[in-house]
Amino acid sequence: MRLIAETQQILMQSGNPESETNNETGLVLGYVQSGKTMSFTTLTALAKDNGYQIIIIIAGIATNLIDQSTTRLEKDLRINERTDRQWLSIKNPTISANYQSISDKLLEWKDKTFPVERRRTILITILKNQKRLQDLHDLLSRLDLKGVPTLIIDDEGDQASLNTQERKNARNARNGEYNENSLSTIYNRIISLKAVLPHHTFVQYTATPQANLFVNIMNRLSPNFIQLLTTGDKYTGGKTFFRDRRDLIEVIPPQDIIATSPPESLLDALRMFFLGVAKGEPQNEFKNRSMMIHPSERTDEHTDFYNWAITIKNEWVDILAKPDTDLSKQALVADFQKSYNKLAQIATDLPIFDQLSGKTLLYAIRGTQIEKLNASRGKTPNVNWRDNYAFILIGGKAMDRGFTVEGLTVTYMPRNIGVGNADTIQQRARFFGYKKGYLNYCRIYINQNAQAAYEDYVVHEEDMRHRLSEHIKTGKPLNDWYREVFLADFLNLTRNNVLFNEVSRSVFGDEWFSIKAPHDAAIPNNQRITEDFIKNNGLNPYLNKSQEYEIVPLMTVVNNLLSKLVYNRRSDFDNFNALKSVLSQYLEERPNELCTVYLFGSLDKPRERKMKNEQINELFQGRNDNYLGDREIRAKRGITFQIHVVTLLEGKNAVAEKLPTIAAYLPSELSQDVIRQTYQDIE
């Protein structure tokens, strides 16, 4: 029911098929490996039932992905089993092969005498490739598409579809040379495709929406509605592995990452995997068990690991076939015993070791298929999952986004985070999915930097979804969403070349934050709010005495002071909002947290501060022989606020008087970066 309800919400925000024209763009946000394909399959079926005549699935940039998507769609829609012929399913259509059949089917819709139940919906799956998209554009351009409601589903809508010339366009715009026709090829093909469809809705599906959300809202693929997908109970994603079940993570030591022969961590990962296979196959548990080895995107490294895996497999098969008295067999069995002991600490349903270590383990290793998945031989091979129970798959980019590894239990991924684009790193997480039934057999071997990146991504992802969820409740279009999210300092949001607007960052933790331009503010409002807060909380101006502060509930400061103050300078506005976001998240986890508040100056006796470049030159009074300096006036633990009341001077003249302003110190344990899309003006 959840799937149906969420899909209905998507369709309700799409174009009314009874209308003459439509041009909607939406975004559907799921989690990695959470069932997005089933969602857009359901959307496809509902769109058909509601009068959409053409449904186009742009199914990824690789042939194995379009094959995977087409097979799933035809299976789930029962296209090859039906006798009522409700669908005309075409992959990568061309004018010569498909024009006549598509034209005939559209004429059936236009013919009012033709039985409604016999009208066929045209289902097109197409590779996200410039030639294939051009072929489809040329075909559709020859058809009369007036009054033909069309749904376009862009699977992995953040990949290749967006204009990779946006940053170049931004630079040119600053130089007065902006050319709106500076478009990347795939983006241009998609825009052209949309242009020949008078009535269409373009729906982008992704688990990593950073690029889609932060493109310029004037971009022709910027979404104006969004639907969040929720997961089923058995889903295990970032929160499971990198927050709740860190016992499933194995950190690859640095020396293993640069090893020139099979490192011990790889041998341990293989042993853990084979033990799971030995336990599962005789009991017919699950359709498949798989291990993924993802060393890098370089095919020569894939070959190294492939050769290592093949050599290890064959050696272990030969050794385990020897008599029990053989010393090499005894040594190998002892190594498996160590891995078994570690696995059994969590997988409590493991049979006793003696039941696995004999022929059962030998059969498990010998029966495992090892395959290299890359395009080094011209085309990435498909995996025939029916052939074997157990697989070890070795590759890089071909096993990133969109690729499903059936029954994946063990992942060995020594590769580093590279340039640190958050969306790219997350798309490598093929180890997420519906795994609760065998979660205790799952292990993720990664380096320390990658582990930190995934842990921080969990915070980023949940914050982003929460902000989007709150915006959806307002009923406003997505264009009105304030584009701001948490993101760790060593991660980038996405690739810069698709972003026209700059992304700015606010850093909190172990340093002071302060308002720079309190005169660009709602001054009477801020004076009144500050005066009430001072009075209600018994604050007295600080006079270098230890008792001149108040312990106040953090919730009180946020609700009664920060949320009511208004600062209009763009930089102050953005950074102040970011501060409130960090504190609000902190309060969700610690609603009873206290903080320390100091008052410097008062509305009756403000401090004087000089201006420079239209902002406060230095808010904090410095250190001298008798005074530690304002920056040192803070609590030993927790959050500290300083309320300053100042008069701003330009030379000897007062520019503005009795201005309340805020400084806040967040300790290192609250360290948080907030990024946002940069705008010129506040709406």
Side-chain angles (χ1 to χ4, degrees):
M1 294 302 294
R2 170 188 52 80
L3 175 64
I4 297 295
E6 291 174 352
T7 311
Q8 287 174 335
Q9 286 296 316
I10 301 168
L11 196 62
M12 287 170 61
Q13 297 176 87
S14 302
N16 183 346
E18 300 298 325
S19 301
E20 281 294 314
T21 61
N22 183 72
N23 185 354
E24 293 284 348
T25 300
L27 177 64
V28 180
L29 173 56
Y31 288 96
V32 169
Q33 298 282 89
S34 66
K36 296 187 299 298
T37 302
M38 181 54 69
S39 173
F40 71 67
T41 301
T42 306
L43 179 61
T44 298
L46 285 178
K48 171 184 171 49
D49 293 344
N50 284 273
Y52 277 81
Q53 298 176 30
I54 300 176
I55 300 169
I56 300 168
I57 313 291
I58 305 176
I61 64 172
T63 54
N64 63 325
L65 295 183
I66 188 174
D67 292 343
Q68 177 179 274
S69 294
T70 303
T71 300
R72 288 181 181 176
L73 277 164
E74 292 185 344
K75 176 184 176 183
D76 292 337
L77 296 172
R78 299 186 296 111
I79 289 176
N80 297 324
E81 303 171 17
R82 307 175 68 116
T83 58
D84 55 2
R85 294 180 175 82
Q86 290 289 296
W87 298 90
L88 175 63
S89 178
I90 305 170
K91 183 170 74 172
N92 292 328
T94 62
I95 293 173
S96 59
N98 307 108
Y99 170 79
Q100 192 61 54
S101 60
I102 293 176
S103 179
D104 290 345
K105 299 304 173 287
L106 292 179
L107 286 174
E108 293 174 356
W109 284 86
K110 294 182 185 297
D111 184 354
K112 301 304 180 184
T113 67
F114 193 82
V116 173
E117 66 275 8
R118 292 177 57 189
R119 294 173 181 170
R120 296 173 69 175
T121 300
I122 301 159
L123 175 63
I124 296 171
T125 52
I126 188 166
L127 190 67
K128 197 181 293 188
N129 166 281
Q130 56 178 309
K131 180 183 183 305
R132 296 300 187 182
L133 289 168
Q134 186 65 53
D135 287 344
L136 178 59
H137 169 271
D138 294 346
L139 188 161
L140 295 177
S141 297
R142 294 195 175 196
L143 297 166
D144 177 11
L145 297 174
K146 183 179 179 181
V148 177
T150 302
L151 174 66
I152 307 174
I153 295 172
D154 185 5
D155 190 17
E156 306 297 343
D158 62 312
Q159 184 188 33
S161 302
L162 301 176
N163 186 19
T164 60
Q165 299 295 312
E166 285 296 277
R167 183 48 53 93
K168 176 183 176 182
N169 288 339
R171 288 195 299 268
N172 291 342
R174 287 193 292 271
N175 296 327
E177 303 171 353
Y178 178 60
N179 177 4
E180 67 175 0
N181 294 318
S182 183
L183 310 175
S184 55
T185 305
I186 299 297
Y187 175 77
N188 191 31
R189 294 287 188 270
I190 291 174
I191 295 303
S192 299
L193 179 63
K194 285 164 57 68
V196 301
L197 295 164
H199 186 303
H200 74 273
T201 299
F202 188 85
V203 181
Q204 307 159 334
Y205 270 78
T206 185
T208 49
Q210 291 84 354
N212 309 75
L213 290 170
F214 278 77
V215 296
N216 191 304
I217 60 174
M218 300 304 294
N219 186 292
R220 280 172 282 184
L221 290 186
S222 176
N224 53 18
F225 73 83
I226 187 168
Q227 176 65 41
L228 304 184
L229 301 180
T230 52
T231 63
D233 294 338
K234 294 184 179 180
Y235 179 74
T236 56
K239 287 188 292 185
T240 302
F241 287 103
F242 294 99
R243 181 183 296 174
D244 302 332
R245 292 296 306 273
R246 288 189 174 96
D247 55 338
L248 303 177
I249 308 299
E250 300 280 351
V251 176
I252 301 173
Q255 65 269 20
D256 283 11
I257 295 173
I258 59 174
T260 56
S261 59
E264 177 53 37
S265 56
L266 175 62
L267 299 177
D268 184 58
L270 288 166
R271 289 192 294 265
M272 297 286 267
F273 173 66
F274 287 133
L275 286 168
V277 175
K279 189 264 181 183
E281 186 172 21
Q283 301 178 30
N284 295 314
E285 288 186 342
F286 315 109
K287 292 182 179 179
N288 296 101
R289 280 191 187 271
S290 300
M291 176 178 177
M292 181 178 77
I293 300 177
H294 188 149
S296 76
E297 60 182 16
R298 294 173 50 192
T299 57
D300 58 339
E301 291 195 35
H302 303 167
T303 299
D304 289 341
F305 276 84
Y306 176 79
N307 291 336
W308 288 350
I310 288 288
T311 299
I312 293 165
K313 171 189 170 179
N314 292 337
E315 286 182 356
W316 287 357
V317 166
D318 290 343
I319 291 172
L320 290 174
K322 293 180 179 181
D324 292 345
T325 56
D326 184 86
L327 295 180
S328 62
K329 180 176 182 178
Q330 292 175 7
L332 179 59
V333 170
D335 288 338
F336 269 98
Q337 176 76 66
K338 293 176 184 176
S339 297
Y340 172 91
N341 293 341
K342 185 164 59 173
L343 181 62
Q345 291 176 7
I346 300 173
T348 55
D349 62 335
L350 264 178
I352 62 172
F353 181 67
D354 289 346
Q355 292 181 10
L356 297 180
S357 60
K359 295 293 186 183
T360 303
L361 183 58
L362 170 61
Y363 299 156
I365 299 173
R366 190 171 62 198
T368 296
Q369 179 74 19
I370 301 176
E371 295 193 10
K372 181 169 54 173
L373 296 186
N374 60 33
S376 59
R377 288 167 287 179
K379 179 181 177 181
T380 302
N382 289 319
V383 179
N384 192 340
W385 298 103
R386 294 174 300 178
D387 286 353
N388 290 282
Y389 175 73
F391 288 85
I392 296 175
L393 306 180
I394 302 161
K397 194 172 182 179
M399 298 193 301
D400 274 1
R401 63 172 67 238
F403 182 72
T404 299
V405 184
E406 300 289 347
L408 178 60
T409 53
V410 176
T411 298
Y412 189 83
M413 192 164 65
R415 72 178 298 175
N416 214 321
I417 63 174
V419 298
N421 289 338
D423 50 357
T424 301
I425 294 167
Q426 182 72 348
Q427 283 292 351
R428 294 175 191 149
R430 299 298 99 194
F431 37 80
F432 296 162
Y434 288 88
K435 301 178 181 297
K436 278 199 176 172
Y438 56 93
L439 181 61
N440 290 333
Y441 289 87
C442 294
R443 292 294 183 279
I444 303 171
Y445 292 74
I446 52 177
N447 68 65
Q448 197 165 25
N449 289 339
Q451 180 186 19
Y454 281 113
E455 288 174 352
D456 283 314
Y457 191 93
V458 171
V459 176
H460 164 71
E461 181 174 50
E462 293 308 306
D463 171 65
M464 180 169 56
R465 289 180 64 96
H466 174 74
R467 291 172 190 260
L468 289 166
S469 178
E470 291 301 304
H471 180 77
I472 290 171
K473 293 175 185 177
T474 69
K476 296 178 181 179
L478 185 59
N479 285 343
D480 291 346
W481 179 59
Y482 183 68
R483 282 152 170 78
E484 176 187 84
V485 289
F486 295 152
L487 187 67
D489 58 356
F490 64 95
L491 292 176
N492 303 313
L493 184 71
T494 186
R495 56 207 183 279
N496 283 331
N497 61 359
V498 300
L499 300 181
F500 186 90
N501 301 89
E502 295 286 344
V503 174
S504 59
R505 186 181 291 264
S506 298
V507 181
F508 300 100
D510 208 21
E511 61 182 52
W512 283 99
F513 159 83
S514 65
I515 298 294
K516 304 295 185 183
H519 58 299
D520 287 350
I523 295 174
N525 170 80
N526 290 356
Q527 289 172 332
R528 176 177 55 81
I529 296 302
T530 303
E531 185 175 23
D532 288 346
F533 185 84
I534 290 171
K535 184 185 301 182
N536 293 336
N537 292 280
L539 294 177
N540 293 306
Y542 184 78
L543 298 172
N544 202 17
K545 295 180 181 179
S546 60
Q547 71 270 24
E548 289 166 338
Y549 62 84
E550 293 295 330
I551 304 298
V552 180
L554 179 59
M555 188 80 73
T556 299
V557 175
V558 171
N559 291 342
N560 297 345
L561 182 64
L562 302 186
S563 65
K564 297 179 179 181
L565 294 174
V566 178
Y567 297 104
N568 294 324
R569 177 72 65 91
R570 182 77 249 183
S571 56
D572 285 342
F573 175 83
D574 287 335
N575 290 320
F576 191 48
N577 270 354
L579 172 68
K580 289 186 285 186
S581 292
V582 172
L583 295 174
S584 295
Q585 184 208 42
Y586 187 67
L587 280 169
E588 286 183 11
E589 301 172 0
R590 300 172 179 84
N592 299 318
E593 187 75 3
L594 300 175
C595 62
T596 305
V597 183
Y598 293 87
L599 174 62
F600 291 90
S602 67
L603 291 168
D604 295 329
K605 191 176 180 181
R607 286 172 151 189
E608 292 184 344
R609 290 292 179 265
K610 293 182 179 180
M611 287 184 64
K612 183 178 181 180
N613 299 326
E614 298 186 349
Q615 65 182 27
I616 296 175
N617 183 40
E618 178 57 66
L619 175 65
F620 300 100
Q621 182 175 321
R623 178 191 294 268
N624 58 44
D625 291 341
N626 300 315
Y627 184 54
L628 292 172
D630 288 354
R631 292 180 179 274
E632 299 302 318
I633 307 303
R634 56 183 173 87
K636 292 182 179 179
R637 62 165 299 275
I639 300 169
T640 297
F641 294 97
Q642 293 179 353
I643 302 172
H644 294 254
V645 182
V646 300
T647 290
L648 293 184
L649 302 176
E650 198 163 48
K652 294 183 179 180
N653 299 321
V655 175
E657 298 180 341
K658 301 178 181 181
L659 298 176
T661 187
I662 294 293
Y665 182 88
L666 278 60
S668 56
E669 60 266 25
L670 266 73
S671 292
Q672 187 64 268
D673 283 22
V674 181
I675 60 169
R676 72 189 67 83
Q677 196 172 55
T678 303
Y679 300 90
Q680 297 301 315
D681 301 298
I682 299 174
E683 296 294 335

